[in-house]
Amino acid sequence: MLRPKIPTNPLPTGIVTGTARSDVPAVSHQTPAPAPTAPARPTVQLTPGAVVAVIGGGTAVVLVVGAVLVSMLLAVAVTAASLAISALVVRSLVASQSHR
């Protein structure tokens, strides 16, 4: 177990009495004024035009993302088909060379 090199001061165990001094002025403790609270966040109030704009924007985003995904799928399908055709052509050329 680690022990500190500097001794710690023990707490008093009994009632500590002191003498009252009359030459020291009494300090009056005043509670500080409460800090001003921040106003609550205003709620978002959407007008009908704003709602239509948000719905239109969301629809546009969905359409663009869908178009990108479909185009990527078509690119993969075209690439796979061209590779399959190339493999068939190469296979038929190799087979025709071996029959001669």
Side-chain angles (χ1 to χ4, degrees):
M1 179 178 195
L2 299 175
R3 295 185 183 214
K5 292 181 180 179
I6 301 173
T8 58
N9 294 332
L11 295 174
T13 56
I15 298 174
V16 178
T17 58
T19 57
R21 293 178 51 184
S22 62
D23 59 341
V24 177
V27 177
S28 63
H29 294 285
Q30 295 179 352
T31 58
T37 58
R41 293 179 60 184
T43 57
V44 177
Q45 295 179 355
L46 295 176
T47 62
V51 170
V52 170
V54 168
I55 291 173
T59 303
V61 167
V62 167
L63 289 176
V64 168
V65 169
V68 168
L69 292 177
V70 167
S71 65
M72 289 174 64
L73 178 65
L74 286 174
V76 169
V78 168
T79 304
S82 65
L83 285 175
I85 291 171
S86 299
L88 287 175
V89 169
V90 169
R91 189 175 90 175
S92 69
L93 287 175
V94 169
S96 68
Q97 289 287 334
S98 65
H99 286 329
R100 290 187 183 184

